[in-house]
Amino acid sequence: MTAAPTDIPRLVSELTLEEKASLCSGSDFWHTQAVERLGIPAIMVADGPHGLRKQAEEMDHLGVARSVPATCFPSAAGLGSTWDPDLMARVGEALGRETRANGVSVLLGPGVNMKRSPLCGRNFEYFSEDPLLAGVLATALVRGIQSQGVGASLKHFAANNQETDRLRVDAQVDERTLREIYLPAFERVVKGAKPWTVMCAYNKVNGTHASEHHWLLTEVLRDEWGFEGLVVSDWGAVDDRVAGVAAGLDLEMPSSHGLNDARIVAAVRAGELDEADLDAAATRVLTLVARALAAQAEPATFDAAAHHALAREVATRTAVLLKNDGALPLPTDAAGTVVIGEMARTPRYQGAGSSQVNPTRLESALDALRERAPEVEFAPGYVLAEAAGQPGQDRTDEELRAEAVDLARGRTAVLFLGLPAIDESEGYDREHMDLPASHVALLRAVRAVAAKVVVVLSNGSAVTVADWEPDADAVLELWLGGQAGGAAAAQLLLGEVDPSGRLAESIPVRLADVPAQLNFPGERGSVRYGEGLFIGYRGLDAVGAEVSHPFGYGLTYTTFAYADLSVDAAEVTDETGDDDVVVRVTARVTNAGDRTGVAVPQLYVGRPDSAFARAPRELRGFERIELTPGESRVVEFGLTRRDLSHWDVGVHGWVVEPGAVEIAVGENSRDLPLRAVVDVVAPVVHLPLHDHSTVGEWLEHPVGGPLLREALGGFAALLGPDAEPAFAAFLVSLPVVKLPAMVPGSVSPEQLDGLLAEVAG
Ligand code: BGC
């Protein structure tokens, strides 16, 4: 096809009904359908998200068959911990380059679903429990990918927050929670990066399959957010294809082997599907194909060594230093250090499932440490299924532990612990969030004999640390560090690079502290998001739970001081646009230590006197800044109207509630030394009055208030300053329709009818 996008209407008009229907599903696992008669070629898509998984011959959507070599970057759990959109843009560019070089037109990622429960098996593929952080990082990543002339696929839209029953589970989420928690990351990326495609989720949302959800795929995504790209199904997410076309699902993947194409044709012929909907879908497929052609004509090359180096740099920034009682950094020559734990030799560096990349190289931490200090001794410490065949892996946990204890005696033991591959994967959820018992037993045994113990963790989503962290002098969380994660770990341990990651997910003391667990993973095909807005730190803060490490937390090898908060608020008026800055905040951050380091000042907003359910604080701004010793910088945040809004279910829109706004700036969600309260002036939103509006609601209403007061006559005194409090409370909460009967003499039914007519008019 040589068609420019402008020729597409003509092309669509030349297609037969059957050809149009055929364009709406794949030709195989990874390709769209070609129409040779009109010179329309097929294009290829491939996973994603943190590396290209292009399968050559055997095909599947679960990463079972091998794919072409590609750079495996840290997965999104780690990328989230960088809090660094500039770095995400560079990762995106590299991903885009590899995608283009391999003749693939769309990389299937990133995923911006929220980490509702720490147990979601796919949390390693998602950025955060916070929509702002996930949205900002994914926007930069998508821009980077698409800067290379290939597309991204923002997934999995929407409310795909568990793997249990994922192909059919009905996520029951209330409107406000959807708008404030589960949709904003998608919205930000759609508006800010214009992804070529969005991938709908497998699950149902409030009773309707995401793949045939008109409200999600058309009303919200296109009409409200202005999405102009193509919606593709997750692989096998289609239930009723005809309903999907009508709802705005353009492309079904993989191929339905003609089955659904025939159904589409039949539905159009029977008048059950508007052909205009089919034309719209075909148009979007052709637009995607047209966009992809330029890159296909000129496939790029990529420098595998440079991308490996980038993967290493990224991995140094994804790691989060959770604890350090002075054990880190190690001496630069690693003197007196022994390495224990199979994961040092056999890295756990990516998650299982469709995101599984065939890395161009793989560096282990053990090799990287030995490059610098060849004498460093090693013991595997525990049995690890994926390391079968490695020396020592034929022995038992007890035998390996005893050997490790001998090695660690009197030395600094660097222990590589984490989750074995089987513990977390696409397709199923975790059952608990603890380290394997053999890893904890190893730590305790080594602790008893070693001079110092440093724990290095490899896992794709948070593990509890409360039980064992006191036994470690330092803990470094690597997440799944990608193909160069081992080398990055060595650099961080030896202080060649300073840790700078911050937690993008809370580490609770106990899983049971997490409110979402009350409704996870649901039953009988349905899961109720009963905790509402209160996921992650929002929930832990709201119930006042202690945490092991809060959202936003991470140590460095230096310290920072926060000072000079200044807050300046403008008035919100009807003219204030969603993106207009209403509150300006500045704060000074100073490196108070003697090493260069990275601060990540974070701004949280709370609404202490709100009439609406609120988390105590919500992230509304952050920045990553490197400061030399003694250096100080003023950071500036602008809070927009939207930043200050909640989703009001009364008006089905974003509303700024006037009143006190608490501004807090600091190191993390629980260490916010700078605080100020500012009064935000904004128009009060009055819902239309009706007979079941309460006396209180009437009295607050600018039109209804005076009218009711007048009608109440002497009774109004019962609500005045001298009112009897209990009676006044009873009265204000009474729906006005009850007044005539329950408060005889207050207003008559006729007066009430008159009032209702007046406010309606
Ligand atoms: C996953 C998607 C993936 C697709 C193709 C599905 O199982 O949910 O994230 O892109 O397969 O492999």
Side-chain angles (χ1 to χ4, degrees), residues 15-24 261 265 269 278:
L15 289 165
T16 64
L17 180 60
E18 285 74 10
E19 286 167 342
K20 284 191 279 194
S22 80
L23 283 174
C24 295
D261 304 358
V265 169
R269 293 229 162 91
L278 176 60

CSV table of all heavy atoms in Angstrom, one decimal, residues 15-24 261 265 269 278:
chain,number,residue,atom,x,y,z
A,15,LEU,N,-13.2,-1.3,-0.6
A,15,LEU,CA,-13.2,-2.6,0.0
A,15,LEU,C,-14.6,-3.2,0.0
A,15,LEU,O,-15.6,-2.5,0.2
A,15,LEU,CB,-12.7,-2.5,1.5
A,15,LEU,CG,-11.3,-2.1,1.8
A,15,LEU,CD1,-11.1,-1.7,3.2
A,15,LEU,CD2,-10.4,-3.3,1.5
A,16,THR,N,-14.6,-4.5,-0.2
A,16,THR,CA,-15.9,-5.2,-0.1
A,16,THR,C,-16.2,-5.4,1.4
A,16,THR,O,-15.3,-5.2,2.2
A,16,THR,CB,-15.8,-6.6,-0.7
A,16,THR,OG1,-14.9,-7.4,0.1
A,16,THR,CG2,-15.4,-6.6,-2.2
A,17,LEU,N,-17.5,-5.7,1.7
A,17,LEU,CA,-17.9,-5.9,3.0
A,17,LEU,C,-17.0,-7.0,3.7
A,17,LEU,O,-16.5,-6.8,4.8
A,17,LEU,CB,-19.3,-6.4,3.1
A,17,LEU,CG,-20.0,-6.6,4.4
A,17,LEU,CD1,-19.9,-5.4,5.3
A,17,LEU,CD2,-21.4,-7.1,4.2
A,18,GLU,N,-16.7,-8.1,3.0
A,18,GLU,CA,-15.9,-9.2,3.5
A,18,GLU,C,-14.5,-8.7,3.8
A,18,GLU,O,-13.9,-9.1,4.8
A,18,GLU,CB,-15.8,-10.3,2.5
A,18,GLU,CG,-17.1,-11.2,2.5
A,18,GLU,CD,-18.2,-10.5,1.7
A,18,GLU,OE1,-18.0,-9.4,1.1
A,18,GLU,OE2,-19.4,-11.0,1.8
A,19,GLU,N,-13.9,-7.9,2.9
A,19,GLU,CA,-12.6,-7.4,3.1
A,19,GLU,C,-12.5,-6.5,4.3
A,19,GLU,O,-11.6,-6.5,5.1
A,19,GLU,CB,-12.1,-6.6,1.9
A,19,GLU,CG,-11.7,-7.6,0.7
A,19,GLU,CD,-11.5,-6.9,-0.6
A,19,GLU,OE1,-12.0,-5.7,-0.8
A,19,GLU,OE2,-11.0,-7.5,-1.5
A,20,LYS,N,-13.5,-5.6,4.5
A,20,LYS,CA,-13.5,-4.7,5.6
A,20,LYS,C,-13.6,-5.6,6.9
A,20,LYS,O,-12.8,-5.3,7.9
A,20,LYS,CB,-14.7,-3.8,5.6
A,20,LYS,CG,-14.5,-2.7,4.6
A,20,LYS,CD,-15.6,-1.6,4.7
A,20,LYS,CE,-16.9,-2.0,4.0
A,20,LYS,NZ,-17.8,-0.9,3.8
A,21,ALA,N,-14.4,-6.6,6.9
A,21,ALA,CA,-14.5,-7.4,8.1
A,21,ALA,C,-13.2,-8.1,8.4
A,21,ALA,O,-12.8,-8.3,9.5
A,21,ALA,CB,-15.6,-8.4,7.9
A,22,SER,N,-12.5,-8.6,7.3
A,22,SER,CA,-11.3,-9.3,7.5
A,22,SER,C,-10.2,-8.4,8.1
A,22,SER,O,-9.3,-8.9,8.9
A,22,SER,CB,-10.8,-9.9,6.2
A,22,SER,OG,-10.1,-8.9,5.4
A,23,LEU,N,-10.3,-7.1,7.8
A,23,LEU,CA,-9.3,-6.2,8.4
A,23,LEU,C,-9.4,-6.1,9.9
A,23,LEU,O,-8.5,-5.6,10.6
A,23,LEU,CB,-9.4,-4.8,7.8
A,23,LEU,CG,-8.8,-4.7,6.3
A,23,LEU,CD1,-9.1,-3.3,5.8
A,23,LEU,CD2,-7.3,-4.9,6.3
A,24,CYS,N,-10.6,-6.5,10.4
A,24,CYS,CA,-10.8,-6.3,11.8
A,24,CYS,C,-10.3,-7.4,12.7
A,24,CYS,O,-10.6,-7.5,13.9
A,24,CYS,CB,-12.3,-6.1,12.1
A,24,CYS,SG,-12.9,-4.6,11.3
A,261,ASP,N,-15.0,-12.7,11.5
A,261,ASP,CA,-15.2,-11.9,10.2
A,261,ASP,C,-16.6,-12.2,9.6
A,261,ASP,O,-17.3,-11.3,9.2
A,261,ASP,CB,-14.1,-12.2,9.2
A,261,ASP,CG,-12.7,-12.0,9.7
A,261,ASP,OD1,-12.6,-11.6,10.9
A,261,ASP,OD2,-11.7,-12.3,9.0
A,265,VAL,N,-19.9,-9.8,9.0
A,265,VAL,CA,-20.5,-9.6,7.7
A,265,VAL,C,-22.0,-9.9,7.8
A,265,VAL,O,-22.9,-9.2,7.4
A,265,VAL,CB,-19.9,-10.6,6.7
A,265,VAL,CG1,-20.7,-10.7,5.4
A,265,VAL,CG2,-18.5,-10.2,6.3
A,269,ARG,N,-25.3,-7.5,7.2
A,269,ARG,CA,-26.3,-7.8,6.2
A,269,ARG,C,-27.7,-7.9,6.9
A,269,ARG,O,-28.7,-7.5,6.3
A,269,ARG,CB,-26.0,-9.2,5.6
A,269,ARG,CG,-24.8,-9.2,4.7
A,269,ARG,CD,-25.0,-9.8,3.4
A,269,ARG,NE,-24.0,-9.4,2.4
A,269,ARG,CZ,-22.8,-10.1,2.2
A,269,ARG,NH1,-22.6,-11.2,2.9
A,269,ARG,NH2,-21.9,-9.6,1.4
A,278,LEU,N,-18.3,-0.5,11.2
A,278,LEU,CA,-17.3,-1.3,10.5
A,278,LEU,C,-16.3,-0.5,9.7
A,278,LEU,O,-15.1,-0.7,9.8
A,278,LEU,CB,-18.0,-2.4,9.6
A,278,LEU,CG,-17.1,-3.3,8.8
A,278,LEU,CD1,-16.2,-4.1,9.8
A,278,LEU,CD2,-17.9,-4.2,8.0
